Amino acid sequence: MTDDEAQNLFGTTQPPAPYRILRAGALSARLENGNLRYVSVEGIEILRAISYVVRDRDWGTLAPRIEDMKVEEGAEEFTVTYNAVFVNAGATLKVSTRIEGSADGRLSYSANAFAEQDFETNRCGFNILHPIRDVAGAPVEVEHCDGCREKTVFPELIEPWQPFKNIRALTHWPAASIKATCRMEGDVFEMEDQRNWSDASYKTYVRPLALPWPYILPGGQENQQEVELLVEKNTTGASSSQTARHDGPVTIEVGPPAGMTLPDIGLLITPEESEPALNSADRLFELKPKSILLHFDPTTHHDPQFWGHYKTLQDIYPAEYDLEYVVAGEGDLDAEFEELARKVSDSGITLNSLAVCPSVDRQSTPPGSDWPECPPLEDIYRAARGAFPGLALGGGMFSYFTELNRKRPPLDLLDFVTHSTSPIVHAADDDSVMETLETLPHITRSARAIIGANTSYRIGPSTIGMRMNPYGSRTFDNPDSERICMTSDDPRQRGAFAAAWTVGYAARIAAAGIEKWIPAAFSGPRGVLTAAGDDFLPVGRAITELARAQELPLHVYKVSDERKLAALGFDTATGRAILIANLTSNELEISTAGTDMLGPFETRWL
């Protein structure tokens, strides 16, 4: 791939991490950055990943320097050895690793960590990821550290807290013919449901969150851990429906009308971006969003001129203007909301709705931590109602589904519930970001289980870059346009990657009955415009196509491999339209089963 092609696709010329496929008989795994991904037997995915992870005090993932890697591979076995060097705040951690796989279904990954001096970390050790496809709701046997065994299931709805603790081994049945046991040694492990953050996995990780963090690995001491996987022919009768994955044409099949339309599409405008948004306001008429989401945070110093920018923008472009307000909550709530109502009235802005979220709730409260002081949500909502009578009122979280799942609002005081998503909380490589689309139906089902069928449901902003970091003190700068976690400025927002991801997002939430969706900001690093503001980025053109279809009846298209392709169909006045996004960086062969309405077309990134 040339630099120009990479720039167009990913918004950066930085290449993705290289990898190689390891094979031992029917066992295979992808070796990438020293870790294993897509551990499979006979083409059936057993584990999504086994990784040795070191995180800093802001839960940022430290990138290791890999040294002395050696790979030996034969027909029946493979062995990988290397050293990984992690540096944090001037301290160094050296990890010696060994990976062995054999054709009899055995895989081991051991790590011996040595801190040259005291090394601070929030987490240091193995993460094991089980996939969610055909695993959510399926049987699992948990062996605990005391030797007792528990027969249960992987959570069907997204579990807000750890579903399993004190884990020594997990046994599940990826297919009717396969039993897989993953054993973890060297520390106490527990599991979290990573679907909370839109990761397509259940994560079993080292060191319980109830223990203090950050913590110190003492200088001069070793820490040894090991993960062992044994895959056997299943004789117990327990099974799941997973079948082997095969390459080949992706089939698109036309199904029945969906009986609904897309959510109303909006764009976010913050005080910092209000002036650039105003300068490019004419572009809104091309994109035609139904709503504009305005943001105001009184705990952050903003030039008060942004209220005038908001009003002028509304005068130029008529739409539904919704305000999300961060509640300071440091004094009298009635007085705080009366002051907000005065600002809105003085600006002349006409609001369609108001969503509120306490400032302290933008920071996550992990398991085992004390909840921060916060006015009761009932008091916040009543004060908002009093200052804005008759206006639709929303609650929930301005951060992610995780926080909504852990702190559920009193629904009888709200007209709608909202939350955001970001795909780069835990991993930022291209595959992991696209895999988050797989989780969206799980999130929307779980959200509906919380808020019920009659409360309106909104999602967004749902950009690749993080709007905030609930898990640390900041989002991370990205001056070199890299693929990194927890940055507010992801380069792929500027490439065709974001366009494809956004169409894939629309396809995965289309049938969820969502009222409004904010897929991007208007301008800025998470926006739809070029830096100069004079043209749309690819994601802007994709959202323009989605916005044009907002009121058109949706038509169901069944895609044989939703990991590779997203498709949305619409009934138009002249026939039927289809919007297709290639979710890979490769050319795809497409087969249109049962219909010739598509005709020939070029497969490309949108």
Side-chain angles (χ1 to χ4, degrees), residues 227-525:
V227 176
E228 294 181 316
L229 176 67
L230 175 61
V231 182
E232 306 171 275
K233 292 294 184 180
N234 175 33
T235 58
T236 65
S239 66
S240 74
S241 59
Q242 186 178 155
T243 57
R245 312 287 191 247
H246 297 289
D247 294 330
V250 179
T251 299
I252 303 176
E253 185 175 355
V254 178
M260 60 183 66
T261 60
L262 281 176
D264 290 349
I265 292 174
L267 296 173
L268 171 70
I269 296 177
T270 66
E272 295 89 345
E273 297 297 337
S274 61
E275 186 171 4
L278 187 59
N279 294 336
S280 301
D282 59 319
R283 289 285 172 183
L284 290 169
F285 290 95
E286 299 175 58
L287 198 149
K288 297 182 179 177
K290 276 193 174 182
S291 68
I292 301 294
L293 179 62
L294 307 175
H295 180 82
F296 176 43
D297 178 1
T299 69
T300 302
H301 176 72
H302 293 132
D303 186 333
Q305 290 186 2
F306 77 86
W307 287 109
H309 296 157
Y310 283 172
K311 168 58 176 170
T312 304
L313 191 69
Q314 186 173 54
D315 290 340
I316 294 173
Y317 181 76
E320 294 181 350
Y321 280 72
D322 304 300
L323 177 65
E324 59 173 19
Y325 175 68
V326 176
V327 182
E330 297 174 347
D332 185 285
L333 287 171
D334 290 330
E336 180 176 348
F337 277 101
E338 287 169 4
E339 174 65 13
L340 175 64
R342 184 189 64 78
K343 285 183 168 65
V344 172
S345 177
D346 289 350
S347 72
I349 298 170
T350 300
L351 292 180
N352 176 72
S353 71
L354 171 69
V356 297
C357 177
S359 178
V360 296
D361 281 352
R362 291 179 296 173
Q363 288 300 117
S364 180
T365 301
S369 302
D370 294 329
W371 289 88
E373 291 187 11
C374 179
L377 292 178
E378 291 86 350
D379 293 350
I380 291 174
Y381 298 157
R382 289 191 183 100
R385 287 281 191 198
F388 293 89
L391 196 65
L393 179 65
M397 291 291 173
F398 295 165
S399 53
Y400 310 124
F401 176 76
T402 314
E403 287 66 54
L404 174 65
N405 203 12
R406 291 176 175 174
K407 188 174 183 179
R408 304 178 181 188
L411 300 173
D412 56 334
L413 300 177
L414 296 174
D415 298 303
F416 64 91
V417 171
T418 186
H419 67 83
S420 297
T421 67
S422 172
I424 58 169
V425 175
H426 293 117
D429 60 276
D430 298 335
D431 289 334
S432 293
V433 171
M434 282 299 182
E435 285 167 5
T436 62
L437 301 177
E438 181 183 341
T439 313
L440 295 176
H442 296 253
I443 288 177
T444 56
R445 282 196 302 270
S446 298
R448 277 295 176 201
I450 295 170
I451 70 176
N454 297 323
T455 302
S456 292
Y457 179 23
R458 301 182 183 183
I459 291 184
S462 58
T463 55
I464 298 175
M466 291 179 70
R467 68 185 305 210
M468 64 181 73
N469 181 7
Y471 318 108
S473 60
R474 60 188 174 88
T475 57
F476 293 95
D477 295 334
N478 193 11
D480 297 324
S481 293
E482 298 177 287
R483 297 167 172 85
I484 61 173
C485 295
M486 296 187 179
T487 181
S488 62
D489 186 4
D490 192 288
R492 288 164 294 195
Q493 184 72 14
R494 298 181 285 277
F497 185 99
W501 183 80
T502 301
V503 173
Y505 201 112
R508 291 301 184 102
I509 67 169
I514 293 167
E515 178 193 12
K516 287 189 178 182
W517 172 44
I518 313 297
F522 182 43
S523 55

Side-chain angles (χ1 to χ4, degrees), residues 96-119:
S96 300
T97 65
R98 184 177 183 88
I99 301 170
E100 295 180 318
S102 59
D104 62 0
R106 297 178 185 274
L107 176 70
S108 67
Y109 187 168
S110 61
N112 185 6
F114 178 81
E116 295 184 338
Q117 57 270 103
D118 287 357
F119 188 91

Side-chain angles (χ1 to χ4, degrees), residues 79-98:
T79 301
V80 180
T81 59
Y82 67 91
N83 296 317
V85 180
F86 298 87
V87 178
N88 185 31
T92 300
L93 180 74
K94 294 184 177 180
V95 184
S96 300
T97 65
R98 184 177 183 88

Side-chain angles (χ1 to χ4, degrees), residues 16-89:
Y19 65 85
R20 65 178 291 174
I21 304 299
L22 303 172
R23 300 185 188 279
L27 173 69
S28 66
R30 190 163 107 179
L31 178 65
E32 182 178 317
N33 286 329
N35 295 313
L36 299 178
R37 302 184 68 171
Y38 311 118
V39 179
S40 302
V41 171
E42 297 177 350
I44 296 172
E45 185 177 11
I46 310 299
L47 297 176
R48 179 59 50 94
I50 308 175
S51 305
Y52 193 90
V53 175
V54 182
R55 300 197 192 278
D56 66 16
R57 63 167 39 243
D58 287 316
W59 293 103
T61 302
L62 300 179
R65 184 175 73 251
I66 304 294
E67 299 177 341
D68 302 323
M69 177 173 281
K70 297 178 182 178
V71 179
E72 298 178 0
E73 190 172 8
E76 301 293 313
E77 60 186 10
F78 58 76
T79 301
V80 180
T81 59
Y82 67 91
N83 296 317
V85 180
F86 298 87
V87 178
N88 185 31

